[in-house]
Amino acid sequence: MARKKVDVAADHISKLASATPIKAIEELIWNALDAGGDRVEVNLTLNELSAVSQVEIIDYGPGIPVEELDRAFGEVGNSMKVERRINGDQRAYHGREGKGRFKALALSPIAIWETTYRVNGECKMYSVRLTRDMPDYYEPEEPTVAPTSVTGTRVFLDGLDRGIHVLANDDTRQKLAETFASYLSKYPAVKLYWAKLPIDIEELVHRKKELELFGKESPYGPAKLLVLEWNFKVDSKRLHFCDEHGFSLYEISAGVQAPGIDYTAYVQAPIASAWAAEERFSVSDIDQEVKIFVDGVKDKLREYLRGRLAEEAVSIVEQWKSEEIYPYQDAPQDPIGRAEREVFDIVAVRINEQHSSFSKSDADSKKLTLALIKESLETNPTSLTKLFREVLHLSKEDQEAFAELLERAPLTNIIRAGKMVADRLDVIHAFEHILFDNDWKKTLLERTQLHRLLVHEIWLLGEEYVLGADDDGLRDLLQSHLSIMGREELAPDVEVKLIDGKDGIPDLMLYRRRKVDQNQFEHLVIELKRPRDPLGQEETSQIKKYAFTVARDGRFNTQNCRWQFWLLGNELDEFVREETSSNALPEGCIHDGNGVKIWVKRWADVLNDARARYDFFREQLQIEASQSKGLETLKVRYPHLFEGKGARKKKDMELSAAKIAQE
């Protein structure tokens, strides 16, 4: 016969002829299975370098009658399979568009089909040739009488120039088993051979489980999940999407880990055919319907594998129970409890298997480790992996240092100290944002927000201070002072006025006892101003009134008690800048006399001083402070101060106390 043209453009044929070696072989096997017969063989010829030089794929179907030749080879997208749907053996067709045969050219520059068919009781045969150089043409020969009565088709690839080493690998048979397992399970009478060896699913599969996914009432229609656990190691755990006949139409990484279990999963669903034709699986990250379907499949797969891992852990768990080191006492009472217990068993058994130091440790050490695993899984599962990775990968020197540190301080104290340093560095960043961000500066309220936050985070002003009075009048301030000094209470009718005769309410009074002399006290009185308002003459006059009142009133006792007054804000106006730059006093000090010092402080300096106190720890721990984490910490601790207009002292103290009680 003369050479014939395929009814499609050459560049399209070239695209169809591209594939990886394994995928090309898979397509040719699918074509052979579609052809019919109960046996397909793939034979390899190796050269002296153990590379594949020839491949033949043989089926024992009815062959391709010459009258069907042009439709079988000359058209793409109008295959006979579209009309027939099933072959002569009542098996569904995998391909329906006549594209698979071109995959042969992905392996070899020349592909030859030799087919034998029966007509009027006589067997005839002919061959068809495809070449990579002219992929849009096929060259058939004239039919002749066949020397055999066995029908079928042989695809012969000679002079392979692609995949010559990949196809020779020992694991190729196993990879093909993963692809064809669902189909071979559906049609157990069909036998598939690779390099003279059968791809026997029963032989290669360690365990097989079919699970119901969706029923007929589901919008996805009926669907099942077949999970095959192999007795060989797979390169990656795959999830195949198959139609109801078991044909693999698309595959992705399963994305469900199960250490020690090598598996492949197959979704069998009629809807998969339409989705594959529309290429919706390949864009599942933006196709919400397919994504929901895939997520549901993975959830079912995850549930099954968790049960399998827990099942394998039973013997070790029973041993722990007999040694009385297993951290659970009672059986789980509900599905959530059972799932949590399964996860614990899986994690603990894997640690036992992977880390000889755990399996060889004494009972008390194992009991502690198991308890830590239980606690971590219940409170913060995502931290467990990092916790064990960090501890188990310590150098010997660091392990010894860690052990020595645990001898000197409880682990809980070490953890709390590190957490406190990290939290405080974050809070410093958060205060900077609150005080200097333009949006915050416009809305932040002095007494019901800033003042209240500082009361709770008083360490910002110095670790040595203790809160003595909070948003109280001068009379209460004096009463607090007398109480601190161990003196008698004020009489009910005693009044305390500012030097100008008016009432005054300082924001905060802190105190500390001098370490050098237990009888010496130092009080710090602070007046806060909103960040948006610069400090001016009016504000310095107010802090001076407080200070001079204390200096004049003998009841405040400036002999055994030194008093410091701070005016605290963001910016200073020109007047205050001049006032704080006296040559006779330290920078920022505007008065020093009669046991009283008055300072004007910027928030930036206070926060820098606070940060400096933690700099050494920050460098050693390599902590990166986070403004967002700091804000989150404050909002979690004091949510009522970030809602609306915050809270005044009484409400703040009530809500804060209630939150502490709940915790």
Side-chain angles (χ1 to χ4, degrees):
M1 292 184 187
R3 187 188 337 176
K4 298 186 177 184
K5 179 80 166 62
V6 180
D7 189 18
V8 72
D11 60 342
H12 183 58
I13 296 292
S14 296
K15 291 178 182 178
L16 296 178
S18 62
T20 64
I22 296 294
K23 288 298 180 185
I25 287 290
E26 287 176 0
E27 283 295 331
L28 294 171
I29 292 174
W30 281 125
N31 276 359
L33 291 169
D34 284 349
D38 59 3
R39 181 186 179 100
V40 171
E41 301 172 8
V42 183
N43 299 319
L44 309 177
T45 300
L46 304 183
N47 60 22
E48 62 277 6
L49 299 176
S50 297
V52 178
S53 59
Q54 295 178 336
V55 174
E56 64 175 359
I57 300 98
I58 304 172
D59 71 65
Y60 295 89
I64 306 172
V66 70
E67 61 268 21
E68 295 180 358
L69 167 65
D70 290 341
R71 190 165 181 186
F73 281 86
E75 298 180 9
V76 174
N78 190 28
S79 169
M80 293 172 291
K81 301 175 188 178
V82 174
E83 296 174 1
R84 296 177 183 174
R85 300 286 179 176
I86 59 173
N87 64 17
D89 297 305
Q90 301 303 301
R91 301 200 306 267
Y93 283 122
H94 174 264
R96 294 180 183 175
E97 296 186 344
K99 298 177 180 179
R101 65 182 180 272
F102 295 105
K103 300 299 181 184
L105 300 180
L107 298 171
S108 173
I110 299 174
I112 298 173
W113 277 255
E114 296 176 352
T115 187
T116 301
Y117 63 99
R118 185 175 283 106
V119 56
N120 299 325
E122 182 182 37
C123 284
K124 291 190 175 184
M125 64 178 297
Y126 65 93
S127 65
V128 180
R129 177 188 176 99
L130 294 181
T131 63
R132 192 184 290 158
D133 291 340
M134 301 183 71
D136 54 334
Y137 284 88
Y138 61 102
E139 300 178 37
E141 293 183 344
E142 290 289 345
T144 60
V145 176
T148 177
S149 61
V150 179
T151 62
T153 301
R154 170 181 177 260
V155 182
F156 181 67
L157 309 178
D158 190 15
L160 261 71
D161 56 0
R162 296 172 187 171
I164 59 176
H165 297 295
V166 172
L167 297 180
N169 288 344
D170 293 337
D171 64 352
T172 300
R173 173 170 165 260
Q174 297 167 351
K175 290 178 179 177
L176 293 174
E178 293 181 61
T179 299
F180 293 97
S182 179
Y183 179 86
L184 296 175
S185 296
K186 183 77 174 180
Y187 302 109
V190 177
K191 304 301 177 185
L192 176 59
Y193 290 81
W194 173 262
K196 308 298 183 184
L197 294 174
I199 297 180
D200 187 342
I201 301 304
E202 297 301 320
E203 172 206 339
L204 296 172
V205 169
H206 167 65
R207 185 165 179 151
K208 176 180 177 180
K209 183 69 174 180
E210 189 173 79
L211 304 166
E212 194 75 29
L213 269 176
F214 306 107
K216 292 181 180 179
E217 70 285 352
S218 167
Y220 302 114
K224 294 182 179 180
L225 178 65
L226 175 66
V227 184
L228 299 182
E229 298 178 34
W230 305 102
N231 56 24
F232 57 84
K233 188 170 184 61
V234 297
D235 287 342
S236 64
K237 292 156 185 176
R238 310 293 292 174
L239 177 60
H240 289 253
F241 296 94
C242 312
D243 64 11
E244 68 271 31
H245 304 292
F247 292 120
S248 177
L249 305 170
Y250 194 78
E251 64 177 275
I252 61 173
S253 172
V256 181
Q257 299 305 312
I261 297 180
D262 290 284
Y263 72 87
T264 306
Y266 306 84
V267 181
Q268 298 174 345
I271 199 170
S273 298
W275 284 354
E278 297 166 6
E279 298 185 346
R280 291 177 66 184
F281 286 114
S282 59
V283 292
S284 60
D285 57 328
I286 58 173
D287 189 324
Q288 192 62 24
E289 184 183 18
V290 177
K291 184 178 186 303
I292 292 172
F293 178 82
V294 173
D295 288 345
V297 172
K298 289 187 176 182
D299 286 343
K300 191 72 172 180
L301 178 60
R302 193 174 289 110
E303 177 186 341
Y304 167 74
L305 291 171
R306 187 176 64 240
R308 282 284 295 114
L309 289 169
E311 182 183 313
E312 292 192 349
V314 168
S315 60
I316 297 175
V317 168
E318 288 303 317
Q319 180 183 336
W320 288 340
K321 288 180 179 178
S322 67
E323 295 174 359
E324 297 184 350
I325 62 175
Y326 190 66
Y328 295 94
Q329 300 299 319
D330 303 319
Q333 301 300 314
D334 52 52
I336 294 176
R338 285 193 293 274
E340 289 178 352
R341 190 74 55 89
E342 286 178 356
V343 172
F344 170 83
D345 290 349
I346 292 164
V347 172
V349 168
R350 290 303 161 197
I351 290 173
N352 181 72
E353 291 175 352
Q354 299 296 323
H355 300 286
S356 58
S357 58
F358 173 81
S359 59
K360 294 175 182 177
S361 60
D362 58 58
D364 286 341
S365 298
K366 285 183 180 178
K367 186 174 183 178
L368 173 61
T369 302
L370 294 175
L372 283 171
I373 296 171
K374 174 179 179 288
E375 184 67 21
S376 297
L377 285 172
E378 289 178 351
T379 56
N380 189 2
T382 57
S383 69
L384 183 64
T385 301
K386 182 174 179 60
L387 171 65
F388 278 100
R389 185 186 298 122
E390 292 292 334
V391 173
L392 294 170
H393 285 82
L394 289 175
S395 67
K396 189 174 186 302
E397 181 182 354
D398 286 341
Q399 287 180 18
E400 291 173 353
F402 186 43
E404 181 184 349
L405 189 58
L406 291 177
E407 290 290 333
R408 302 175 65 180
L411 179 59
T412 53
N413 289 5
I414 296 170
I415 294 170
R416 286 170 186 163
K419 181 71 164 57
M420 183 191 74
V421 171
D423 283 351
R424 289 195 171 184
L425 287 168
D426 290 340
V427 167
I428 291 170
H429 272 261
F431 262 84
E432 283 181 332
H433 183 66
I434 290 171
L435 292 163
F436 299 112
D437 178 79
N438 286 332
D439 291 336
W440 274 95
K441 284 166 68 175
K442 292 175 185 176
T443 59
L444 187 66
L445 301 176
E446 177 190 330
R447 286 197 179 275
T448 57
Q449 290 182 312
L450 178 58
H451 181 150
R452 304 315 310 163
L453 284 172
L454 188 58
V455 166
H456 294 298
E457 305 294 333
I458 206 71
W459 56 269
L460 285 165
L461 303 176
E463 309 294 340
E464 68 274 24
Y465 289 109
V466 177
L467 185 64
D470 166 18
D471 205 8
D472 295 323
L474 279 179
R475 186 183 191 285
D476 293 322
L477 182 64
L478 177 55
Q479 181 61 68
S480 296
H481 163 70
L482 294 177
S483 177
I484 292 165
M485 302 297 290
R487 292 159 62 182
E488 62 184 32
E489 294 186 5
L490 287 172
D493 57 346
V494 172
E495 291 186 352
V496 181
K497 298 288 186 180
L498 286 173
I499 196 169
D500 60 3
K502 296 180 180 179
D503 292 326
I505 304 178
D507 289 329
L508 297 174
M509 185 188 80
L510 312 179
Y511 76 90
R512 68 174 175 181
R513 189 188 296 269
R514 291 278 184 88
K515 293 182 180 179
V516 295
D517 186 345
Q518 290 296 309
N519 294 320
Q520 288 290 322
F521 284 82
E522 182 176 290
H523 290 331
L524 172 60
V525 178
I526 299 173
E527 182 68 20
L528 303 177
K529 291 301 172 188
R530 289 181 66 175
R532 73 177 186 184
D533 299 329
L535 303 179
Q537 184 177 9
E538 182 180 344
E539 286 74 29
T540 57
S541 295
Q542 185 179 22
I543 195 74
K544 286 177 181 177
K545 288 178 185 178
Y546 292 143
F548 296 160
T549 297
V550 167
R552 281 188 52 189
D553 194 327
R555 294 170 296 181
F556 282 102
N557 183 11
T558 57
Q559 232 178 7
N560 294 330
C561 181
R562 304 287 297 174
W563 290 79
Q564 296 208 47
F565 290 80
W566 287 10
L567 176 63
L568 186 54
N570 270 12
E571 298 294 337
L572 316 181
D573 69 10
E574 290 298 328
F575 179 88
V576 178
R577 284 199 191 95
E578 288 296 325
E579 194 175 9
T580 56
S581 301
S582 168
N583 293 328
L585 296 171
E587 182 71 22
C589 184
I590 59 175
H591 176 81
D592 184 2
N594 297 325
V596 172
K597 278 188 179 181
I598 306 174
W599 299 82
V600 177
K601 297 274 188 178
R602 290 183 177 89
W603 267 112
D605 297 327
V606 170
L607 295 178
N608 284 336
D609 288 344
R611 185 182 291 105
R613 295 196 296 272
Y614 292 96
D615 254 357
F616 173 78
F617 300 102
R618 179 186 59 78
E619 291 173 2
Q620 295 302 309
L621 296 173
Q622 296 184 2
I623 294 172
E624 289 296 329
S626 167
Q627 165 202 305
S628 59
K629 284 186 178 179
L631 277 172
E632 182 182 353
T633 297
L634 293 176
K635 288 178 180 179
V636 169
R637 288 177 183 171
Y638 325 112
H640 54 283
L641 298 182
F642 289 87
E643 297 170 357
K645 295 184 178 181
R648 291 195 173 274
K649 177 181 176 180
K650 183 179 179 181
K651 184 179 179 182
D652 173 35
M653 301 306 289
E654 289 173 353
L655 293 173
S656 298
K659 192 171 188 304
I660 292 171
Q662 287 178 354
E663 295 172 351

